PDB file of all heavy atoms in Angstrom:
ATOM      1  N   LEU A   1      -4.249 -21.604   7.481  1.00  0.00           N
ATOM      2  CA  LEU A   1      -3.255 -21.032   6.579  1.00  0.00           C
ATOM      3  C   LEU A   1      -3.244 -19.513   6.691  1.00  0.00           C
ATOM      4  O   LEU A   1      -2.185 -18.870   6.665  1.00  0.00           O
ATOM      5  CB  LEU A   1      -3.541 -21.459   5.135  1.00  0.00           C
ATOM      6  CG  LEU A   1      -3.234 -22.924   4.777  1.00  0.00           C
ATOM      7  CD1 LEU A   1      -3.683 -23.229   3.351  1.00  0.00           C
ATOM      8  CD2 LEU A   1      -1.736 -23.200   4.928  1.00  0.00           C
ATOM      9  N   LEU A   2      -4.459 -18.931   6.801  1.00  0.00           N
ATOM     10  CA  LEU A   2      -4.536 -17.476   6.962  1.00  0.00           C
ATOM     11  C   LEU A   2      -3.860 -17.036   8.256  1.00  0.00           C
ATOM     12  O   LEU A   2      -3.154 -16.022   8.289  1.00  0.00           O
ATOM     13  CB  LEU A   2      -6.007 -17.024   6.954  1.00  0.00           C
ATOM     14  CG  LEU A   2      -6.599 -16.650   5.603  1.00  0.00           C
ATOM     15  CD1 LEU A   2      -8.089 -16.428   5.737  1.00  0.00           C
ATOM     16  CD2 LEU A   2      -5.923 -15.403   5.052  1.00  0.00           C
ATOM     17  N   ARG A   3      -4.117 -17.782   9.321  1.00  0.00           N
ATOM     18  CA  ARG A   3      -3.513 -17.399  10.607  1.00  0.00           C
ATOM     19  C   ARG A   3      -1.992 -17.574  10.603  1.00  0.00           C
ATOM     20  O   ARG A   3      -1.286 -16.945  11.372  1.00  0.00           O
ATOM     21  CB  ARG A   3      -4.145 -18.234  11.723  1.00  0.00           C
ATOM     22  CG  ARG A   3      -5.547 -17.795  12.088  1.00  0.00           C
ATOM     23  CD  ARG A   3      -6.008 -18.439  13.388  1.00  0.00           C
ATOM     24  NE  ARG A   3      -6.283 -19.876  13.191  1.00  0.00           N
ATOM     25  CZ  ARG A   3      -7.466 -20.365  12.843  1.00  0.00           C
ATOM     26  NH1 ARG A   3      -8.489 -19.536  12.634  1.00  0.00           N
ATOM     27  NH2 ARG A   3      -7.623 -21.660  12.694  1.00  0.00           N
ATOM     28  N   GLY A   4      -1.494 -18.436   9.697  1.00  0.00           N
ATOM     29  CA  GLY A   4      -0.038 -18.662   9.648  1.00  0.00           C
ATOM     30  C   GLY A   4       0.693 -17.749   8.699  1.00  0.00           C
ATOM     31  O   GLY A   4       1.913 -17.900   8.510  1.00  0.00           O
ATOM     32  N   VAL A   5       0.015 -16.808   8.075  1.00  0.00           N
ATOM     33  CA  VAL A   5       0.657 -15.891   7.121  1.00  0.00           C
ATOM     34  C   VAL A   5       1.752 -15.071   7.801  1.00  0.00           C
ATOM     35  O   VAL A   5       2.807 -14.759   7.212  1.00  0.00           O
ATOM     36  CB  VAL A   5      -0.393 -14.969   6.457  1.00  0.00           C
ATOM     37  CG1 VAL A   5       0.271 -13.811   5.714  1.00  0.00           C
ATOM     38  CG2 VAL A   5      -1.264 -15.772   5.515  1.00  0.00           C
ATOM     39  N   ALA A   6       1.556 -14.735   9.057  1.00  0.00           N
ATOM     40  CA  ALA A   6       2.535 -13.891   9.758  1.00  0.00           C
ATOM     41  C   ALA A   6       3.884 -14.573   9.898  1.00  0.00           C
ATOM     42  O   ALA A   6       4.923 -13.897  10.084  1.00  0.00           O
ATOM     43  CB  ALA A   6       1.987 -13.529  11.134  1.00  0.00           C
ATOM     44  N   GLN A   7       3.921 -15.905   9.855  1.00  0.00           N
ATOM     45  CA  GLN A   7       5.193 -16.615   9.996  1.00  0.00           C
ATOM     46  C   GLN A   7       5.934 -16.773   8.668  1.00  0.00           C
ATOM     47  O   GLN A   7       7.051 -17.306   8.620  1.00  0.00           O
ATOM     48  CB  GLN A   7       4.964 -18.022  10.587  1.00  0.00           C
ATOM     49  CG  GLN A   7       4.747 -18.045  12.103  1.00  0.00           C
ATOM     50  CD  GLN A   7       3.402 -17.507  12.511  1.00  0.00           C
ATOM     51  OE1 GLN A   7       2.393 -17.864  11.910  1.00  0.00           O
ATOM     52  NE2 GLN A   7       3.393 -16.623  13.517  1.00  0.00           N
ATOM     53  N   LEU A   8       5.316 -16.352   7.577  1.00  0.00           N
ATOM     54  CA  LEU A   8       5.947 -16.473   6.267  1.00  0.00           C
ATOM     55  C   LEU A   8       6.959 -15.358   6.051  1.00  0.00           C
ATOM     56  O   LEU A   8       6.871 -14.284   6.689  1.00  0.00           O
ATOM     57  CB  LEU A   8       4.880 -16.420   5.171  1.00  0.00           C
ATOM     58  CG  LEU A   8       3.876 -17.590   5.114  1.00  0.00           C
ATOM     59  CD1 LEU A   8       2.815 -17.301   4.066  1.00  0.00           C
ATOM     60  CD2 LEU A   8       4.592 -18.904   4.811  1.00  0.00           C
ATOM     61  N   PRO A   9       7.859 -15.577   5.113  1.00  0.00           N
ATOM     62  CA  PRO A   9       8.777 -14.491   4.748  1.00  0.00           C
ATOM     63  C   PRO A   9       7.994 -13.280   4.268  1.00  0.00           C
ATOM     64  O   PRO A   9       6.916 -13.418   3.665  1.00  0.00           O
ATOM     65  CB  PRO A   9       9.627 -15.101   3.630  1.00  0.00           C
ATOM     66  CG  PRO A   9       9.521 -16.576   3.846  1.00  0.00           C
ATOM     67  CD  PRO A   9       8.156 -16.828   4.406  1.00  0.00           C
ATOM     68  N   PRO A  10       8.494 -12.086   4.505  1.00  0.00           N
ATOM     69  CA  PRO A  10       7.753 -10.868   4.149  1.00  0.00           C
ATOM     70  C   PRO A  10       7.342 -10.821   2.673  1.00  0.00           C
ATOM     71  O   PRO A  10       6.250 -10.345   2.356  1.00  0.00           O
ATOM     72  CB  PRO A  10       8.724  -9.746   4.490  1.00  0.00           C
ATOM     73  CG  PRO A  10       9.578 -10.317   5.564  1.00  0.00           C
ATOM     74  CD  PRO A  10       9.735 -11.772   5.252  1.00  0.00           C
ATOM     75  N   GLU A  11       8.184 -11.288   1.800  1.00  0.00           N
ATOM     76  CA  GLU A  11       7.863 -11.187   0.376  1.00  0.00           C
ATOM     77  C   GLU A  11       6.712 -12.127  -0.027  1.00  0.00           C
ATOM     78  O   GLU A  11       6.107 -11.950  -1.083  1.00  0.00           O
ATOM     79  CB  GLU A  11       9.113 -11.467  -0.470  1.00  0.00           C
ATOM     80  CG  GLU A  11       9.669 -12.878  -0.350  1.00  0.00           C
ATOM     81  CD  GLU A  11      10.623 -13.007   0.817  1.00  0.00           C
ATOM     82  OE1 GLU A  11      10.682 -12.066   1.645  1.00  0.00           O
ATOM     83  OE2 GLU A  11      11.306 -14.042   0.919  1.00  0.00           O
ATOM     84  N   GLU A  12       6.351 -13.148   0.817  1.00  0.00           N
ATOM     85  CA  GLU A  12       5.275 -14.095   0.464  1.00  0.00           C
ATOM     86  C   GLU A  12       3.948 -13.745   1.156  1.00  0.00           C
ATOM     87  O   GLU A  12       2.898 -14.256   0.779  1.00  0.00           O
ATOM     88  CB  GLU A  12       5.685 -15.509   0.852  1.00  0.00           C
ATOM     89  CG  GLU A  12       6.876 -16.046   0.088  1.00  0.00           C
ATOM     90  CD  GLU A  12       7.203 -17.474   0.486  1.00  0.00           C
ATOM     91  OE1 GLU A  12       6.331 -18.113   1.134  1.00  0.00           O
ATOM     92  OE2 GLU A  12       8.308 -17.939   0.170  1.00  0.00           O
ATOM     93  N   ARG A  13       4.056 -12.942   2.201  1.00  0.00           N
ATOM     94  CA  ARG A  13       2.849 -12.704   3.004  1.00  0.00           C
ATOM     95  C   ARG A  13       1.687 -12.115   2.193  1.00  0.00           C
ATOM     96  O   ARG A  13       0.543 -12.557   2.282  1.00  0.00           O
ATOM     97  CB  ARG A  13       3.181 -11.759   4.160  1.00  0.00           C
ATOM     98  CG  ARG A  13       4.120 -12.364   5.174  1.00  0.00           C
ATOM     99  CD  ARG A  13       4.501 -11.331   6.215  1.00  0.00           C
ATOM    100  NE  ARG A  13       5.544 -11.846   7.103  1.00  0.00           N
ATOM    101  CZ  ARG A  13       6.163 -11.124   8.017  1.00  0.00           C
ATOM    102  NH1 ARG A  13       5.828  -9.827   8.151  1.00  0.00           N
ATOM    103  NH2 ARG A  13       7.104 -11.663   8.795  1.00  0.00           N
ATOM    104  N   GLY A  14       1.957 -11.082   1.398  1.00  0.00           N
ATOM    105  CA  GLY A  14       0.887 -10.423   0.637  1.00  0.00           C
ATOM    106  C   GLY A  14       0.216 -11.364  -0.352  1.00  0.00           C
ATOM    107  O   GLY A  14      -1.016 -11.432  -0.453  1.00  0.00           O
ATOM    108  N   THR A  15       1.018 -12.116  -1.096  1.00  0.00           N
ATOM    109  CA  THR A  15       0.467 -13.008  -2.119  1.00  0.00           C
ATOM    110  C   THR A  15      -0.358 -14.126  -1.489  1.00  0.00           C
ATOM    111  O   THR A  15      -1.492 -14.403  -1.901  1.00  0.00           O
ATOM    112  CB  THR A  15       1.615 -13.617  -2.967  1.00  0.00           C
ATOM    113  OG1 THR A  15       2.397 -12.574  -3.511  1.00  0.00           O
ATOM    114  CG2 THR A  15       1.040 -14.467  -4.074  1.00  0.00           C
ATOM    115  N   VAL A  16       0.217 -14.773  -0.451  1.00  0.00           N
ATOM    116  CA  VAL A  16      -0.491 -15.888   0.190  1.00  0.00           C
ATOM    117  C   VAL A  16      -1.744 -15.393   0.921  1.00  0.00           C
ATOM    118  O   VAL A  16      -2.820 -15.989   0.847  1.00  0.00           O
ATOM    119  CB  VAL A  16       0.448 -16.623   1.165  1.00  0.00           C
ATOM    120  CG1 VAL A  16      -0.312 -17.690   1.957  1.00  0.00           C
ATOM    121  CG2 VAL A  16       1.614 -17.242   0.415  1.00  0.00           C
ATOM    122  N   GLY A  17      -1.643 -14.274   1.653  1.00  0.00           N
ATOM    123  CA  GLY A  17      -2.800 -13.738   2.378  1.00  0.00           C
ATOM    124  C   GLY A  17      -3.934 -13.366   1.432  1.00  0.00           C
ATOM    125  O   GLY A  17      -5.110 -13.646   1.705  1.00  0.00           O
ATOM    126  N   ARG A  18      -3.564 -12.704   0.321  1.00  0.00           N
ATOM    127  CA  ARG A  18      -4.600 -12.334  -0.655  1.00  0.00           C
ATOM    128  C   ARG A  18      -5.273 -13.574  -1.239  1.00  0.00           C
ATOM    129  O   ARG A  18      -6.492 -13.634  -1.367  1.00  0.00           O
ATOM    130  CB  ARG A  18      -3.967 -11.473  -1.732  1.00  0.00           C
ATOM    131  CG  ARG A  18      -4.976 -10.926  -2.728  1.00  0.00           C
ATOM    132  CD  ARG A  18      -4.392  -9.781  -3.565  1.00  0.00           C
ATOM    133  NE  ARG A  18      -3.096 -10.142  -4.134  1.00  0.00           N
ATOM    134  CZ  ARG A  18      -1.935  -9.663  -3.724  1.00  0.00           C
ATOM    135  NH1 ARG A  18      -1.886  -8.816  -2.683  1.00  0.00           N
ATOM    136  NH2 ARG A  18      -0.782 -10.021  -4.296  1.00  0.00           N
ATOM    137  N   ALA A  19      -4.507 -14.574  -1.607  1.00  0.00           N
ATOM    138  CA  ALA A  19      -5.069 -15.794  -2.201  1.00  0.00           C
ATOM    139  C   ALA A  19      -5.973 -16.517  -1.197  1.00  0.00           C
ATOM    140  O   ALA A  19      -7.052 -17.008  -1.536  1.00  0.00           O
ATOM    141  CB  ALA A  19      -3.936 -16.711  -2.665  1.00  0.00           C
ATOM    142  N   ALA A  20      -5.543 -16.598   0.066  1.00  0.00           N
ATOM    143  CA  ALA A  20      -6.350 -17.275   1.087  1.00  0.00           C
ATOM    144  C   ALA A  20      -7.662 -16.527   1.345  1.00  0.00           C
ATOM    145  O   ALA A  20      -8.723 -17.129   1.502  1.00  0.00           O
ATOM    146  CB  ALA A  20      -5.536 -17.412   2.369  1.00  0.00           C
ATOM    147  N   ASN A  21      -7.584 -15.192   1.422  1.00  0.00           N
ATOM    148  CA  ASN A  21      -8.793 -14.390   1.647  1.00  0.00           C
ATOM    149  C   ASN A  21      -9.777 -14.534   0.490  1.00  0.00           C
ATOM    150  O   ASN A  21     -10.988 -14.660   0.686  1.00  0.00           O
ATOM    151  CB  ASN A  21      -8.426 -12.921   1.842  1.00  0.00           C
ATOM    152  CG  ASN A  21      -8.237 -12.567   3.309  1.00  0.00           C
ATOM    153  OD1 ASN A  21      -9.002 -13.029   4.153  1.00  0.00           O
ATOM    154  ND2 ASN A  21      -7.213 -11.790   3.603  1.00  0.00           N
ATOM    155  N   GLN A  22      -9.251 -14.494  -0.727  1.00  0.00           N
ATOM    156  CA  GLN A  22     -10.107 -14.629  -1.904  1.00  0.00           C
ATOM    157  C   GLN A  22     -10.788 -16.007  -1.916  1.00  0.00           C
ATOM    158  O   GLN A  22     -11.968 -16.128  -2.239  1.00  0.00           O
ATOM    159  CB  GLN A  22      -9.289 -14.419  -3.178  1.00  0.00           C
ATOM    160  CG  GLN A  22      -8.852 -12.976  -3.407  1.00  0.00           C
ATOM    161  CD  GLN A  22      -7.955 -12.817  -4.616  1.00  0.00           C
ATOM    162  OE1 GLN A  22      -7.457 -13.813  -5.182  1.00  0.00           O
ATOM    163  NE2 GLN A  22      -7.705 -11.563  -5.003  1.00  0.00           N
ATOM    164  N   ALA A  23     -10.019 -17.026  -1.553  1.00  0.00           N
ATOM    165  CA  ALA A  23     -10.587 -18.379  -1.505  1.00  0.00           C
ATOM    166  C   ALA A  23     -11.691 -18.466  -0.452  1.00  0.00           C
ATOM    167  O   ALA A  23     -12.758 -19.045  -0.677  1.00  0.00           O
ATOM    168  CB  ALA A  23      -9.478 -19.396  -1.222  1.00  0.00           C
ATOM    169  N   ARG A  24     -11.412 -17.900   0.741  1.00  0.00           N
ATOM    170  CA  ARG A  24     -12.423 -17.934   1.809  1.00  0.00           C
ATOM    171  C   ARG A  24     -13.699 -17.203   1.406  1.00  0.00           C
ATOM    172  O   ARG A  24     -14.811 -17.701   1.589  1.00  0.00           O
ATOM    173  CB  ARG A  24     -11.838 -17.310   3.073  1.00  0.00           C
ATOM    174  CG  ARG A  24     -12.809 -17.282   4.259  1.00  0.00           C
ATOM    175  CD  ARG A  24     -12.140 -16.687   5.478  1.00  0.00           C
ATOM    176  NE  ARG A  24     -11.645 -15.352   5.213  1.00  0.00           N
ATOM    177  CZ  ARG A  24     -12.402 -14.250   5.211  1.00  0.00           C
ATOM    178  NH1 ARG A  24     -13.702 -14.339   5.440  1.00  0.00           N
ATOM    179  NH2 ARG A  24     -11.856 -13.069   4.987  1.00  0.00           N
ATOM    180  N   GLN A  25     -13.575 -15.999   0.846  1.00  0.00           N
ATOM    181  CA  GLN A  25     -14.746 -15.219   0.433  1.00  0.00           C
ATOM    182  C   GLN A  25     -15.523 -15.924  -0.674  1.00  0.00           C
ATOM    183  O   GLN A  25     -16.752 -15.925  -0.686  1.00  0.00           O
ATOM    184  CB  GLN A  25     -14.297 -13.824  -0.015  1.00  0.00           C
ATOM    185  CG  GLN A  25     -13.746 -12.968   1.115  1.00  0.00           C
ATOM    186  CD  GLN A  25     -13.118 -11.685   0.625  1.00  0.00           C
ATOM    187  OE1 GLN A  25     -13.115 -11.399  -0.578  1.00  0.00           O
ATOM    188  NE2 GLN A  25     -12.551 -10.899   1.552  1.00  0.00           N
ATOM    189  N   ALA A  26     -14.785 -16.536  -1.616  1.00  0.00           N
ATOM    190  CA  ALA A  26     -15.450 -17.243  -2.706  1.00  0.00           C
ATOM    191  C   ALA A  26     -16.254 -18.427  -2.175  1.00  0.00           C
ATOM    192  O   ALA A  26     -17.399 -18.663  -2.582  1.00  0.00           O
ATOM    193  CB  ALA A  26     -14.424 -17.711  -3.736  1.00  0.00           C
ATOM    194  N   LEU A  27     -15.648 -19.177  -1.246  1.00  0.00           N
ATOM    195  CA  LEU A  27     -16.354 -20.326  -0.675  1.00  0.00           C
ATOM    196  C   LEU A  27     -17.565 -19.895   0.147  1.00  0.00           C
ATOM    197  O   LEU A  27     -18.621 -20.533   0.107  1.00  0.00           O
ATOM    198  CB  LEU A  27     -15.387 -21.138   0.193  1.00  0.00           C
ATOM    199  CG  LEU A  27     -14.229 -21.829  -0.559  1.00  0.00           C
ATOM    200  CD1 LEU A  27     -13.341 -22.600   0.417  1.00  0.00           C
ATOM    201  CD2 LEU A  27     -14.755 -22.736  -1.657  1.00  0.00           C
ATOM    202  N   GLU A  28     -17.439 -18.822   0.912  1.00  0.00           N
ATOM    203  CA  GLU A  28     -18.589 -18.326   1.676  1.00  0.00           C
ATOM    204  C   GLU A  28     -19.736 -17.929   0.737  1.00  0.00           C
ATOM    205  O   GLU A  28     -20.910 -18.204   1.009  1.00  0.00           O
ATOM    206  CB  GLU A  28     -18.168 -17.136   2.529  1.00  0.00           C
ATOM    207  CG  GLU A  28     -17.306 -17.519   3.717  1.00  0.00           C
ATOM    208  CD  GLU A  28     -16.844 -16.307   4.507  1.00  0.00           C
ATOM    209  OE1 GLU A  28     -16.971 -15.174   3.969  1.00  0.00           O
ATOM    210  OE2 GLU A  28     -16.356 -16.479   5.637  1.00  0.00           O
ATOM    211  N   GLY A  29     -19.401 -17.264  -0.382  1.00  0.00           N
ATOM    212  CA  GLY A  29     -20.432 -16.893  -1.346  1.00  0.00           C
ATOM    213  C   GLY A  29     -21.103 -18.107  -1.967  1.00  0.00           C
ATOM    214  O   GLY A  29     -22.335 -18.145  -2.142  1.00  0.00           O
ATOM    215  N   LEU A  30     -20.288 -19.122  -2.317  1.00  0.00           N
ATOM    216  CA  LEU A  30     -20.849 -20.345  -2.896  1.00  0.00           C
ATOM    217  C   LEU A  30     -21.761 -21.064  -1.904  1.00  0.00           C
ATOM    218  O   LEU A  30     -22.825 -21.583  -2.274  1.00  0.00           O
ATOM    219  CB  LEU A  30     -19.712 -21.271  -3.335  1.00  0.00           C
ATOM    220  CG  LEU A  30     -18.918 -20.843  -4.577  1.00  0.00           C
ATOM    221  CD1 LEU A  30     -17.729 -21.776  -4.798  1.00  0.00           C
ATOM    222  CD2 LEU A  30     -19.824 -20.842  -5.819  1.00  0.00           C
ATOM    223  N   ILE A  31     -21.323 -21.098  -0.646  1.00  0.00           N
ATOM    224  CA  ILE A  31     -22.147 -21.764   0.375  1.00  0.00           C
ATOM    225  C   ILE A  31     -23.494 -21.051   0.542  1.00  0.00           C
ATOM    226  O   ILE A  31     -24.554 -21.690   0.634  1.00  0.00           O
ATOM    227  CB  ILE A  31     -21.377 -21.825   1.711  1.00  0.00           C
ATOM    228  CG1 ILE A  31     -20.221 -22.821   1.597  1.00  0.00           C
ATOM    229  CG2 ILE A  31     -22.315 -22.204   2.852  1.00  0.00           C
ATOM    230  CD1 ILE A  31     -19.315 -22.835   2.805  1.00  0.00           C
ATOM    231  N   GLU A  32     -23.485 -19.718   0.587  1.00  0.00           N
ATOM    232  CA  GLU A  32     -24.736 -18.969   0.750  1.00  0.00           C
ATOM    233  C   GLU A  32     -25.662 -19.193  -0.442  1.00  0.00           C
ATOM    234  O   GLU A  32     -26.881 -19.376  -0.285  1.00  0.00           O
ATOM    235  CB  GLU A  32     -24.433 -17.472   0.928  1.00  0.00           C
ATOM    236  CG  GLU A  32     -23.702 -17.133   2.213  1.00  0.00           C
ATOM    237  CD  GLU A  32     -24.469 -17.584   3.437  1.00  0.00           C
ATOM    238  OE1 GLU A  32     -25.729 -17.459   3.451  1.00  0.00           O
ATOM    239  OE2 GLU A  32     -23.829 -18.074   4.380  1.00  0.00           O
ATOM    240  N   ALA A  33     -25.097 -19.172  -1.664  1.00  0.00           N
ATOM    241  CA  ALA A  33     -25.921 -19.369  -2.860  1.00  0.00           C
ATOM    242  C   ALA A  33     -26.522 -20.766  -2.881  1.00  0.00           C
ATOM    243  O   ALA A  33     -27.712 -20.956  -3.180  1.00  0.00           O
ATOM    244  CB  ALA A  33     -25.079 -19.124  -4.107  1.00  0.00           C
ATOM    245  N   ARG A  34     -25.659 -21.764  -2.562  1.00  0.00           N
ATOM    246  CA  ARG A  34     -26.156 -23.143  -2.566  1.00  0.00           C
ATOM    247  C   ARG A  34     -27.184 -23.357  -1.467  1.00  0.00           C
ATOM    248  O   ARG A  34     -28.172 -24.080  -1.648  1.00  0.00           O
ATOM    249  CB  ARG A  34     -24.985 -24.101  -2.378  1.00  0.00           C
ATOM    250  CG  ARG A  34     -25.355 -25.578  -2.438  1.00  0.00           C
ATOM    251  CD  ARG A  34     -25.964 -25.943  -3.765  1.00  0.00           C
ATOM    252  NE  ARG A  34     -26.306 -27.359  -3.812  1.00  0.00           N
ATOM    253  CZ  ARG A  34     -27.202 -27.884  -4.633  1.00  0.00           C
ATOM    254  NH1 ARG A  34     -27.850 -27.101  -5.499  1.00  0.00           N
ATOM    255  NH2 ARG A  34     -27.438 -29.174  -4.622  1.00  0.00           N
ATOM    256  N   ALA A  35     -27.001 -22.691  -0.325  1.00  0.00           N
ATOM    257  CA  ALA A  35     -27.974 -22.808   0.774  1.00  0.00           C
ATOM    258  C   ALA A  35     -29.341 -22.283   0.341  1.00  0.00           C
ATOM    259  O   ALA A  35     -30.375 -22.871   0.662  1.00  0.00           O
ATOM    260  CB  ALA A  35     -27.465 -22.047   1.996  1.00  0.00           C
ATOM    261  N   GLY A  36     -29.334 -21.166  -0.396  1.00  0.00           N
ATOM    262  CA  GLY A  36     -30.608 -20.633  -0.877  1.00  0.00           C
ATOM    263  C   GLY A  36     -31.319 -21.613  -1.800  1.00  0.00           C
ATOM    264  O   GLY A  36     -32.545 -21.809  -1.722  1.00  0.00           O
ATOM    265  N   GLU A  37     -30.559 -22.255  -2.701  1.00  0.00           N
ATOM    266  CA  GLU A  37     -31.151 -23.228  -3.612  1.00  0.00           C
ATOM    267  C   GLU A  37     -31.728 -24.423  -2.845  1.00  0.00           C
ATOM    268  O   GLU A  37     -32.841 -24.880  -3.126  1.00  0.00           O
ATOM    269  CB  GLU A  37     -30.094 -23.706  -4.602  1.00  0.00           C
ATOM    270  CG  GLU A  37     -29.571 -22.615  -5.544  1.00  0.00           C
ATOM    271  CD  GLU A  37     -28.425 -23.116  -6.412  1.00  0.00           C
ATOM    272  OE1 GLU A  37     -28.072 -24.313  -6.287  1.00  0.00           O
ATOM    273  OE2 GLU A  37     -27.886 -22.323  -7.198  1.00  0.00           O
TER     274      GLU A  37
END
């Protein structure tokens, strides 16, 4: 989905890209925390 942001209409790119990045970073943080446990 992140790689496909460039094909979206210009007015949607910022919102979708930000949401996808936030989701990815949140999941990476959760995975690292759970791995430590």
